[in-house]
Amino acid sequence: MAQAAPAHGGMMAKVRSNRAARPTRTPDLFDDRVHTVGRYGIPVVLGLVYGFWAAANRRGGGEITGWNILFGFVTAIAFIVLCIAVATFAPLLKRELHSLVKSGFAGAAVGFLYSQTGESIYRSVALGVAVTAGVFLVFFYRYYTREDAAGNRVR
């Protein structure tokens, strides 16, 4: 068989030169409109699910009343507003506070849901603090390993 002779440097030189030309970020498959819809759509869907869950916990299997529905929607609106605020302003903070704000929101949300079941407030607070601590460890590890001290992403 007749094959062409390899160029100077062989195949590895071609692979090394291609690595330098590759972009360091993954390509963005969606346009800005899709990101905007996701930025506000995800908190709205999560808020509606959260409000339904809180209302269901509060009624404890009883009948659905108008006040229960109102409670669910008010809880959903509060969750949506807080979720968007945390998602907007937390990334502007240093990584420790960034982790603390997001984990505090998660812990407070779980603690509030648990408090609607009628359990003791001390158990609700303990569960909220435990969730906050666990989520804080996960977020802090993620931001600590992917950001430098100034908050710039490291790849």
Side-chain angles (χ1 to χ4, degrees):
M1 281 198 231
Q3 295 179 346
H8 180 66
M11 288 298 292
M12 287 308 292
K14 187 178 248 186
V15 170
R16 283 189 206 114
S17 67
N18 283 346
R19 283 186 191 156
R22 289 185 189 161
T24 56
R25 286 187 56 188
T26 57
D28 194 5
L29 300 177
F30 303 111
D31 63 353
D32 290 337
R33 190 175 65 109
V34 174
H35 286 287
T36 302
V37 168
R39 184 177 301 119
Y40 296 108
I42 291 172
V44 168
V45 170
L46 288 176
L48 291 173
V49 169
Y50 185 84
F52 174 76
W53 194 350
N57 282 353
R58 189 165 213 193
R59 70 183 169 89
E63 62 184 36
I64 298 173
T65 64
W67 290 111
N68 187 256
I69 293 171
L70 178 65
F71 175 77
F73 279 115
V74 169
T75 304
I77 290 170
F79 183 90
I80 292 166
V81 168
L82 290 173
C83 186
I84 291 172
V86 166
T88 302
F89 296 116
L92 303 176
L93 302 171
K94 292 184 140 239
R95 62 181 169 212
E96 295 86 3
L97 291 175
H98 185 180
S99 303
L100 187 63
V101 168
K102 284 189 173 182
S103 61
F105 176 70
V110 170
F112 179 75
L113 278 180
Y114 191 68
S115 73
Q116 296 307 307
T117 62
E119 286 292 328
S120 165
I121 191 68
Y122 297 114
R123 291 186 77 176
S124 300
V125 169
L127 180 63
V129 168
V131 168
T132 298
V135 173
F136 176 78
L137 291 174
V138 171
F139 276 140
F140 183 76
Y141 175 77
R142 181 182 185 276
Y143 298 136
Y144 190 77
T145 57
R146 289 180 172 77
E147 292 180 354
D148 61 7
N152 302 318
R153 287 190 177 177
V154 176
R155 294 251 174 189

